[in-house]
Amino acid sequence: MDKRDEVCFEGPTVTKLLGQLDDGTLERVAEALRAGDLVAFPTETVYGLGANASQNSAVQAVYRIKGRPAQDPLIVHCSTYEQTTKYISEDATKWQRAIHEVLARRFWPGPLTLILPCNPRLIVSSVTGGTGWVGLRCPNHPIAKRLLEFADCPVAAPSANLFGHVSPTTAQHVFDDFPNVDNLWIVDGGSCGFGIESTVVRIHEENNVEILRRGGIGRDELIACLVDSGVFSGTAEAQNSVKVIERFVGLKSSLPSMVSPGQMLVHYSPRIMMQMVQWSSYENTVIHWNAISSERLRKTILIDFSGMFSALTKRVEMYRDLSQSGSSMEAAHELFSTLRWAENSAGEDHEHWQIWIFDPRALQIKQTDELFLALSDRIYRAAAGRAIRICIKPNSDQVFSSVH
Ligand code: TXA
Ligand code: MG
């Protein structure tokens, strides 16, 4: 295929496809994917950077261009549940297979990744980061589904961003991170509907299901499904067996250190210093307050939720609210694109700017709002756990801050 036929805009080597995503075009892109090219494509969560998971050279190219450590495994994307069963090891237990089937039939296509022992004959070991376990997911997006159907091969696809950077929810975000890559196709399907990544679940040995990353599908939904299907005898057994593994590796250090893949504290980060903020009262004498100069505020971008910090709109340089109505769904959809907007707004002058984002821990949101918990997780990691309190001194109007 002559890539230039379809090009809307092009870096030196990247091809971006816009509009006219008819079957003929997708079929040709799928062929390139199968043959070893990289193809970034939209899913309902974020854009993925796809490579043929049975070709080591293609998979290695994904790690290389992302700058991702080799021990951090990639999710394999498939068009059907039946296809995913081929990629599971013969050694997987009956119980593991049963859980796989029950969860897949209930939540696929959708934002759920299931981790199971890998079949090394069909998936190259670099995909598993050498762990022997493979993450499997059937995305729910018409373009992703069609592309995967045509590719007819397992497609390893991490989020299509540079390692540690903010995940991409538009084709432009992908292009911004990878403007100069040989044999990379970017399929533009507009903005991703959901906006944060899938829930990642490891199906261990008997009675041990671990949620490694929060997403739109919550623990309660997983438990209800497993109880309904009869896998667990009752809710108590399921509650004991399905655990959220919340690790923030490198909590005390600003350097990312890899202990367990994907659980690093520093992740999803914009290139500007970001802190979580919550209100406090100036009368709180235990806190040591520092006055913030108006020059500092003129280099501050404030990202709010349900208008909590609207009193500061005129004092900071830029202000956006992820959801004025306080909707987790809307905020999840907006988060990553807002972080990228903030980064771009500061331009080249990164080190002099700062982002303040509302501290989700200060909000009394119901624990059952799984999407809000997933959002909180992304915000906490994007800010690398940094938090401050702020207040306005009564009668002086001066803004103060204190490390939290
Ligand atoms: O929504 C999503 O999951 C998106 C779209 C493109 O599908 N993909 C995505 O991939 O977020 P990535 O690579 O950015 O994040 C996958 C996470 C990583 O934290 C990785 O460590 C973990 O899932 N993961 C994948 N396979 C794993 C495995 N075999 N064992 C443990 N963790 C795994
Ligand atoms: Mg990612």
Side-chain angles (χ1 to χ4, degrees):
M1 170 186 189
D2 178 3
K3 293 181 182 183
R4 280 162 210 279
D5 285 344
E6 315 286 342
V7 169
C8 249
F9 70 80
E10 195 177 25
T13 46
V14 181
T15 300
K16 185 172 181 221
L17 301 175
L18 272 170
Q20 295 183 342
L21 290 171
D22 50 79
D23 276 1
T25 307
L26 284 177
E27 211 167 346
R28 286 181 291 163
V29 178
E31 258 167 46
L33 175 60
R34 197 172 41 243
D37 277 5
L38 303 187
V39 176
F41 59 95
T43 79
E44 78 280 35
T45 59
V46 300
Y47 274 72
L49 181 61
N52 185 338
S54 57
Q55 254 188 44
N56 190 43
S57 55
V59 173
Q60 292 297 345
V62 169
Y63 281 98
R64 192 172 58 247
I65 76 159
K66 267 187 74 93
R68 179 170 172 130
Q71 65 272 38
D72 193 351
L74 311 179
I75 297 172
V76 171
H77 295 65
C78 300
S79 57
T80 62
Y81 158 72
E82 285 70 26
Q83 189 192 353
T84 64
T85 59
K86 295 197 285 185
Y87 306 133
I88 295 172
S89 157
E90 286 163 10
D91 298 334
T93 63
K94 250 175 100 175
W95 191 82
Q96 286 172 316
R97 287 173 198 280
I99 302 277
H100 172 217
E101 175 158 15
V102 164
L103 293 180
R105 296 231 184 263
R106 166 73 179 79
F107 296 108
W108 282 353
L112 177 68
T113 295
L114 298 173
I115 299 178
L116 287 139
C118 181
N119 176 354
R121 287 184 295 109
L122 297 181
I123 304 289
V124 294
S125 74
S126 49
V127 168
T128 75
T131 61
W133 292 75
V134 64
L136 299 164
R137 164 161 131 81
C138 296
N140 190 11
H141 187 289
I143 293 174
K145 282 173 157 171
R146 224 51 196 137
L147 184 71
L148 292 167
E149 243 171 68
F150 287 136
D152 196 27
C153 65
V155 176
S159 52
N161 52 279
L162 290 167
F163 181 68
H165 194 215
V166 180
S167 298
T169 54
T170 67
Q172 183 65 47
H173 295 161
V174 181
F175 186 78
D176 290 345
D177 274 16
F178 304 112
N180 285 307
V181 176
D182 282 330
N183 305 323
L184 169 63
W185 302 76
I186 303 174
V187 180
D188 189 344
S191 149
C192 300
F194 200 63
I196 56 176
E197 304 89 340
S198 61
T199 304
V200 175
V201 172
R202 193 205 309 263
I203 305 172
H204 262 292
E205 298 299 309
E206 206 99 340
N207 294 341
N208 186 359
V209 175
E210 290 178 343
I211 301 173
L212 298 184
R213 179 175 71 185
R214 289 187 188 274
I217 294 171
R219 178 170 179 261
D220 289 350
E221 269 183 286
L222 296 169
I223 287 177
C225 166
L226 293 170
V227 171
D228 284 353
S229 66
V231 171
F232 290 117
S233 56
T235 309
E237 192 193 354
Q239 296 273 7
N240 283 333
S241 307
V242 181
K243 301 182 191 82
V244 178
I245 308 293
E246 218 146 19
R247 279 189 209 125
F248 293 107
V249 177
L251 193 59
K252 295 276 177 217
S253 115
S254 59
L255 288 173
S257 59
M258 181 77 61
V259 175
S260 171
Q263 294 185 318
M264 286 186 319
L265 173 63
V266 184
H267 216 122
Y268 316 111
S269 304
R271 297 190 180 100
I272 308 173
M273 152 80 159
M274 183 159 103
Q275 293 167 314
M276 295 176 286
V277 287
Q278 52 177 280
W279 282 120
S280 194
S281 95
Y282 188 73
E283 280 71 37
N284 191 341
T285 50
V286 183
I287 297 177
H288 176 74
W289 293 111
N290 297 305
I292 306 175
S293 67
S294 54
E295 291 74 44
R296 191 78 195 113
L297 290 170
R298 293 268 78 93
K299 295 273 184 191
T300 300
I301 300 167
L302 178 53
I303 302 174
D304 201 357
F305 181 71
S306 68
M308 285 187 290
F309 294 94
S310 54
L312 294 177
T313 41
K314 297 233 159 49
R315 294 160 199 256
V316 294
E317 186 62 17
M318 278 175 260
Y319 172 93
R320 265 202 193 175
D321 198 324
L322 292 184
S323 170
Q324 284 180 351
S325 63
S327 147
S328 308
M329 184 75 100
E330 188 182 11
H333 180 259
E334 294 302 315
L335 177 67
F336 290 140
S337 58
T338 303
L339 294 179
R340 282 181 181 257
W341 158 80
E343 192 175 79
N344 291 338
S345 303
E348 295 300 305
D349 193 20
H350 282 160
E351 67 272 27
H352 298 116
W353 282 79
Q354 63 176 356
I355 300 173
W356 284 351
I357 189 163
F358 74 97
D359 190 335
R361 297 168 303 173
L363 268 116
Q364 299 298 316
I365 299 269
K366 283 192 301 214
Q367 283 296 298
T368 47
D369 185 346
E370 184 60 31
L371 205 49
F372 191 81
L373 293 175
L375 184 73
S376 305
D377 169 78
R378 305 309 190 270
I379 291 174
Y380 189 77
R381 290 175 203 269
R386 286 183 290 258
I388 57 167
R389 292 178 192 280
I390 52 174
C391 71
I392 299 181
K393 188 176 175 183
N395 308 320
S396 89
D397 243 22
Q398 171 89 55
V399 183
F400 284 80
S401 75
S402 173
V403 173
H404 179 30

